[in-house]
Amino acid sequence: MRLLVVEDTRDLAAQLRRALQEGGFAVDLAADGEEGLHLGETEPYDAVVLDLGLPRLDGLSVLRRWRAAGRDMPVLILTARDAWSEKVEGLNAGADDYLAKPFAMAELIARLNALIRRASGVAKPELQFGDVRVDTALRSVTKGGAAVKLTALEYGLFSYLALHAGRPVSKTELTEHLYAQDFDRDSNTLEVIVARLRRKLGDGLIETLRGQGYRLNPG
């Protein structure tokens, strides 16, 4: 899953990127509102972490412009601890959730996972496909009750297909949601990852659709 973090405090931005990458996300950073606005308008993000006190263009203005332009990705805003008015303004402007500073990274990741699930129409964290179960909260996969060890990219690809089970997902879409903007993207790598997933989870789970990409069969 690919995230945009719009935060002008350099140390906090670096901490966020590191924690989110360790949590398995691909992360793009923007240091001001104008850069964040541009990225949010032009790149396909699964969710956004948006600070409100930004230089060049404040966070509320960025959010309002995204929503006016039809950008519907989940947005979690960061606010000052006692700024209840900021929370209200943010939610009224189209934010999906908020978190007050200072915050625990584990809570941020849990909230982002929940937002991404809901945006995909999935309410519960555990998804079942035959004897394969994926827990999107714990980022774990089991087959027949036994744990399956996946790399970060393997889990990222499988969980994206799982949240969009039953519909074709193109290689372009997968590439855009698996890798950050500055990553050297190679769509051929997807074929290698899918082959490894089939070896670990079974051949019939992920279907190749000629000219369309891949589809995870709901089972």
Side-chain angles (χ1 to χ4, degrees), residues 66-195:
W66 281 340
R67 296 311 192 215
R71 303 295 287 172
D72 60 357
M73 63 281 193
V75 174
L76 184 150
I77 57 173
L78 301 179
T79 73
R81 176 170 293 279
D82 297 322
W84 64 266
S85 60
E86 284 189 347
K87 301 170 188 175
V88 171
E89 280 188 285
L91 293 170
N92 286 339
D96 300 274
D97 199 358
Y98 67 84
L99 200 54
K101 299 178 181 179
F103 52 84
M105 289 294 182
E107 181 180 1
L108 174 68
I109 291 173
R111 287 177 178 270
L112 288 171
N113 278 325
L115 288 177
I116 292 169
R117 286 197 306 270
R118 289 201 294 269
S120 301
V122 176
K124 58 183 181 180
E126 292 188 355
L127 304 172
Q128 185 85 33
F129 306 95
D131 66 345
V132 175
R133 179 187 295 268
V134 56
D135 188 322
T136 60
L138 298 178
R139 298 182 57 82
S140 64
V141 176
T142 60
K143 180 176 172 60
V148 179
K149 186 175 182 180
L150 299 181
T151 67
L153 281 178
E154 287 169 356
Y155 176 82
L157 191 153
F158 181 68
S159 63
Y160 191 87
L161 290 177
L163 288 173
H164 300 86
R167 78 164 176 87
V169 179
S170 70
K171 290 184 179 180
T172 298
E173 181 178 345
L174 282 171
T175 299
E176 288 177 338
H177 287 268
L178 281 179
Y179 302 117
Q181 188 182 41
D182 57 0
F183 194 89
D184 185 15
R185 304 176 183 185
D186 181 359
S187 62
N188 291 328
T189 305
L190 298 179
E191 298 176 8
V192 176
I193 298 172
V194 169

